Amino acid sequence: GFYYFDDDDQLVCEDLKVSHRSRFLMPFDPIDEPPAELIAFLEECYENSDPKTQIMRTQELFGGVMTGIGVEYEKALFALGPENSGKSTMMLILERSVPEEFTCAVPAGKLHSEYHKAMIAGKLLITMGEGSDRVLGDDFKSIVGRDKQSARPIYEPVFFFYPSGVIVVNANEPPAMKIEGAILRRLETLSFPNSRVQSG
């Protein structure tokens, strides 16, 4: 349940709702029509790669990150595709959909570092770019799996937390990783197959 103190300082428990799981409230004024330019952009990005399903999965990613419930699926998402295929634009739109204080970028090879783990505490969106000096392995699996983490900001004491953010990796090729079932089960891919560099 969701526990809080009411105006009379009495402890109250409510049944959990989606709004209780949100890390913040996002005021919005929904329009009557779907966002035509965004949908057209995504259709072009996902052309010849099951665009309807890919757009639906992109919408699920956005909603899961913004409401804070995406972490419950214990999946990292890889936006994979060739150069200039739209994945960076999609990532920018996603990042701008979430208040800045709830996002961070961490190098893929630094998830073992207590300093970098401190950066992801309390975040809803954790982005990673291409390139790694360390294979994604046990630390990556532990964070995506929402295991209790030990972290330490520079010059500050150690603290413990449970990850609350969705990891989204933007890359032309998959990062190096340990190939084992526990890690593979934690991966989802959005394919961006259409390079504007190649197609002109």
Side-chain angles (χ1 to χ4, degrees):
F2 180 80
Y3 292 86
Y4 69 97
F5 286 99
D6 64 15
D7 294 336
D8 298 322
D9 291 328
Q10 298 297 309
L11 185 64
V12 178
C13 176
E14 292 183 354
D15 291 337
L16 280 177
K17 298 178 288 190
V18 170
S19 59
H20 291 139
R21 300 180 187 277
S22 298
R23 300 283 303 193
F24 53 92
L25 296 177
M26 296 187 62
F28 66 96
D29 183 16
I31 58 177
D32 293 333
E33 299 295 328
E37 290 185 23
L38 176 60
I39 297 297
F41 164 72
L42 293 175
E43 286 175 344
E44 182 181 350
C45 289
Y46 300 140
E47 187 177 5
N48 301 320
S49 184
D50 192 4
K52 184 177 180 180
T53 300
Q54 294 272 81
I55 290 172
M56 180 184 68
R57 293 175 68 212
T58 304
Q59 291 170 326
E60 289 175 339
L61 167 66
F62 275 58
V65 168
M66 288 189 284
T67 61
I69 66 173
V71 68
E72 296 184 12
Y73 294 103
E74 298 185 5
K75 299 275 189 181
L77 191 130
F78 286 72
L80 297 177
E83 180 183 353
N84 201 23
S85 58
K87 50 188 193 304
S88 293
T89 301
M90 185 276 292
M91 289 280 287
L92 182 61
I93 295 169
L94 176 59
E95 289 175 359
R96 298 289 171 85
S97 300
V98 182
E100 187 176 353
E101 61 267 29
F102 293 101
T103 69
C104 70
V106 177
K110 300 295 184 183
L111 290 177
H112 63 286
S113 161
E114 286 191 330
Y115 299 130
H116 285 86
K117 285 183 182 178
M119 294 171 57
I120 71 173
K123 304 302 183 185
L124 294 173
L125 176 64
I126 305 158
T127 60
M128 294 181 185
E130 198 162 17
S132 172
D133 59 357
R134 179 182 168 93
V135 173
L136 294 183
D138 295 334
D139 296 295
F140 174 81
K141 177 179 66 175
S142 174
I143 290 170
V144 177
R146 302 170 68 198
D147 296 335
K148 189 176 185 179
Q149 302 294 316
S150 168
R152 180 168 71 89
I154 297 176
Y155 307 125
E156 294 186 24
V158 171
F159 69 93
F160 299 92
F161 72 98
Y162 290 95
S164 57
V166 176
I167 294 177
V168 183
V169 182
N170 179 10
N172 294 345
E173 297 179 359
M177 66 184 71
K178 291 173 67 175
I179 304 300
E180 59 180 52
I183 290 182
L184 294 178
R185 284 194 302 272
R186 304 210 189 291
L187 306 179
E188 291 287 340
T189 302
L190 280 175
S191 298
F192 289 76
N194 306 310
S195 172
R196 290 162 183 78
V197 172
Q198 296 172 4
S199 66

